[in-house]
């Protein structure tokens, strides 16, 4: 039986968080043996907010280095930069014509982002999930490994694909979101009722993948908890400590019950240090490798050129089928 196909991506906005790592990249690494993996750097998506062009270029290459540093193996997985495969933007246009304004208006990320960037609610922000649908459908992906916050976009992708297939016959594989357990929604350390985010403006709320060990320790020590001082998972009543338990569990593989037992006689102070230490240990090899790769731009260039070539071949075959089906002379 042939391997199932995966596609996923991260926006090239810099400053990746522990949430991006536990919700996405760390799972991608594990999926490489079993699946045909396509991992892209979503640079086109980042244009929905204003960027400094030089920064965007750097962030894109940094993210590529980070994928490799985190264990995504270019021999096993197809790694590429979204904008280098023109079919993404081309299919997005077609799919825009099969997506309703009402559907896009219901996207929670659009609502959030248009509140945050009230001075720049551009139409790219509105049609952002259609570009994401094009990313996924071009590769005929079976599964889309993402964190909880992207589930709604994958569901919209399914609806668009089903609608298209109904009109033109089998064209797109219908993808499933693949949302992996404990790390799927890492919350902020200061506001554990909101997801940990790259763009959080609250100090010490997010752990960034390039944070130094002493910074990580400090942030965990300051994490908001409750006054009970008992390490027990209760997402409703104890969101702060529950988030720390989830992080510890996602990294060590220990279950929530095992963690509760292990720290039964310990207070929050000890537990916070233990969580910080496991995060520091987990990120250390990634940070070392990342620093090495950043000094090797030639290697990175070779990687993205090869990746784009491979991706173009797959994407072109789906796009050709779509163009022919809708009646374009191509
Ligand atoms: P982005 O760049 O916001 O996030 C990248 C991945 O990280 C996950 N994530 C989290 N997981 C757990 N806890 C958190 N606090 C947390 N924050 C972020 C996200 O769910 C995501 O998996 N539109 C996408 C990028 C994209 C894409 C695609 C993804 C573009 N095309 C095609 C999949 C398939 C985005 O903005 O993710």
């Amino acid at each position: 039986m042939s391997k199932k196909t995966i596609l996923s991506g991260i926006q090239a906005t810099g400053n990746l968080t522990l949430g991006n790592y536990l919700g996405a990249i760390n799972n991608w690494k594990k999926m490489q043996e079993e699946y045909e993996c396509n991992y892209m750097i979503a640079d086109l998506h980042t244009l929905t907010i204003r960027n400094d062009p030089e920064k965007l270029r750097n962030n894109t290459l940094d993210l590529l280095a980070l994928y490799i540093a985190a264990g995504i193996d270019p021999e096993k997985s197809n790694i590429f930069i979204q904008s280098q495969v023109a079919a993404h933007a081309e299919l997005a246009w077609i799919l825009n014509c099969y997506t309703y304004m009402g559907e896009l208006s219901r996207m929670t990320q659009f609502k959030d982002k248009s509140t945050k960037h009230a001075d720049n609610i551009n139409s790219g922000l509105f049609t952002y999930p259609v570009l994401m649908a094009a990313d996924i459908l071009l590769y005929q992906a079976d599964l889309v490994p993402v964190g909880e916050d992207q589930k709604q976009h994958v569901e919209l992708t399914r609806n668009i694909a089903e609608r298209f297939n109904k009109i033109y016959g089998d064209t797109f594989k219908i993808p499933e979101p693949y949302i992996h357990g404990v790390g799927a929604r890492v919350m902020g350390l200061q506001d554990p009722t909101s997801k940990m985010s790259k763009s959080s403006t609250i100090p010490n709320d997010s752990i960034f993948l390039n944070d130094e060990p002493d910074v990580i320790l400090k942030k965990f020590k300051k994490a908001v908890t409750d006054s009970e001082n008992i390490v027990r998972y209760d997402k409703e009543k104890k969101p702060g400590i529950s988030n720390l338990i989830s992080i510890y569990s996602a990294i060590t593989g220990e279950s929530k019950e095992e963690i509760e037992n292990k720290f039964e006689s310990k207070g929050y102070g000890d537990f916070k240090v233990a969580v910080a230490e496991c995060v520091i240990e987990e990120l250390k090899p990634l940070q070392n490798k990342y620093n090495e790769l950043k000094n090797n731009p030639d290697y990175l260039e070779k990687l993205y050129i090869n990746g784009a070539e491979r991706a173009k071949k797959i994407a072109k075959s789906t796009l050709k089928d779509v163009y022919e089906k809708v009646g374009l002379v191509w």
Side-chain angles (χ1 to χ4, degrees):
M1 217 178 77
S2 65
K3 285 181 174 178
K4 285 191 171 180
T5 299
I6 277 183
L7 179 124
S8 198
I10 296 182
Q11 285 198 66
T13 40
N15 265 356
L16 255 60
T17 70
L18 189 62
N20 297 124
Y21 178 75
L22 295 178
I25 314 181
N26 195 34
N27 297 325
W28 299 0
K29 179 172 63 182
K30 296 175 192 154
M31 299 175 97
Q32 295 182 104
E33 309 299 332
E34 209 181 319
Y35 301 97
E36 198 67 48
C37 298
N38 299 283
Y39 296 129
M40 55 162 228
I41 292 159
D43 56 345
L44 292 174
H45 277 106
T46 62
L47 298 177
T48 53
I49 54 166
R50 296 283 171 260
N51 293 285
D52 173 62
E54 202 46 45
K55 246 195 198 151
L56 174 56
R57 258 187 290 276
N58 286 334
N59 286 341
T60 302
L61 295 177
D62 278 1
L63 189 50
L64 177 62
L66 201 95
Y67 280 10
I68 311 294
I72 309 298
D73 179 350
E75 300 287 324
K76 293 182 188 154
S77 298
N78 187 25
I79 306 170
F80 63 95
I81 300 174
Q82 183 188 32
S83 65
Q84 294 185 352
V85 183
H88 291 245
E90 293 174 289
L91 181 62
W93 168 251
I94 306 277
L95 297 181
N96 263 319
C97 303
Y98 296 84
T99 309
Y100 296 112
M101 304 279 284
E103 287 175 305
L104 293 173
S105 317
R106 285 195 288 277
M107 295 294 116
T108 44
Q109 198 169 73
F110 171 68
K111 290 188 219 163
D112 286 354
K113 286 200 177 169
S114 39
T115 316
K116 265 192 202 150
H117 303 280
D119 56 337
N120 182 22
I121 308 176
N122 59 69
S123 49
L125 197 62
F126 190 60
T127 58
Y128 172 115
V130 184
L131 178 58
M132 185 163 155
D135 299 336
I136 297 166
L137 298 177
L138 276 174
Y139 297 83
Q140 306 288 350
D142 296 278
L143 296 175
V144 185
V146 282
E148 194 70 52
D149 63 320
Q150 293 296 322
K151 189 172 170 204
Q152 197 185 27
H153 290 160
V154 183
E155 277 162 0
L156 175 69
T157 302
R158 289 170 60 86
N159 292 341
I160 300 171
E162 275 164 4
R163 183 171 305 141
F164 194 96
N165 286 354
K166 206 163 166 195
I167 305 173
Y168 299 103
D170 247 9
T171 310
F172 298 121
K173 179 95 56 77
I174 308 298
E176 299 266 354
Y178 178 90
I179 294 171
H180 191 75
V182 275
R185 195 166 171 79
V186 178
M187 309 307 277
L189 298 186
Q190 291 301 314
D191 176 8
T193 58
S194 300
K195 73 164 186 173
M196 185 179 283
S197 153
K198 296 172 202 166
S199 55
S200 172
T201 49
I202 312 170
N204 303 314
D205 197 45
S206 299
I207 300 285
F208 296 108
L209 297 186
N210 58 1
D211 277 346
E212 296 285 340
D214 56 333
V215 175
I216 296 177
L217 181 63
K218 186 191 84 182
K219 287 182 178 174
F220 276 109
K221 279 186 172 169
K222 289 192 167 168
V224 166
T225 47
D226 52 82
S227 54
E228 199 185 48
N229 211 23
I230 297 173
V231 178
R232 185 170 56 80
Y233 190 89
D234 182 339
K235 211 170 157 202
E236 296 305 312
K237 296 198 186 107
K238 294 159 71 73
I241 208 72
S242 302
N243 186 37
L244 297 185
I245 293 176
S246 296
I247 293 172
Y248 192 84
S249 168
I251 291 177
T252 61
E254 292 170 29
S255 70
K256 288 168 185 153
E257 296 71 32
E258 282 169 325
I259 298 167
E260 286 172 353
N261 292 337
K262 190 167 166 181
F263 291 92
E264 201 179 359
S265 56
K266 307 241 168 77
Y268 290 167
D270 288 342
F271 183 54
K272 284 177 172 180
V273 172
V275 181
E277 278 171 356
C278 84
V279 171
I280 291 167
E281 278 311 302
E282 176 77 10
L283 296 185
K284 201 187 281 167
L286 181 150
Q287 293 177 336
N288 290 342
K289 186 87 203 281
Y290 169 74
N291 289 331
E292 232 174 74
L293 285 165
K294 266 186 25 180
N295 296 323
N296 199 345
D298 293 347
Y299 171 69
L300 294 178
E301 185 180 333
K302 242 185 241 146
L303 274 187
Y304 68 66
I305 291 175
N306 282 340
E309 282 313 309
R310 279 167 75 184
K312 275 180 197 166
K313 279 197 195 115
I314 309 170
K316 198 173 163 194
S317 123
T318 304
L319 188 69
K320 185 169 185 290
D321 187 26
V322 170
Y323 274 10
E324 281 169 357
K325 282 186 168 143
V326 298
L328 302 182
V329 178
W330 211 48

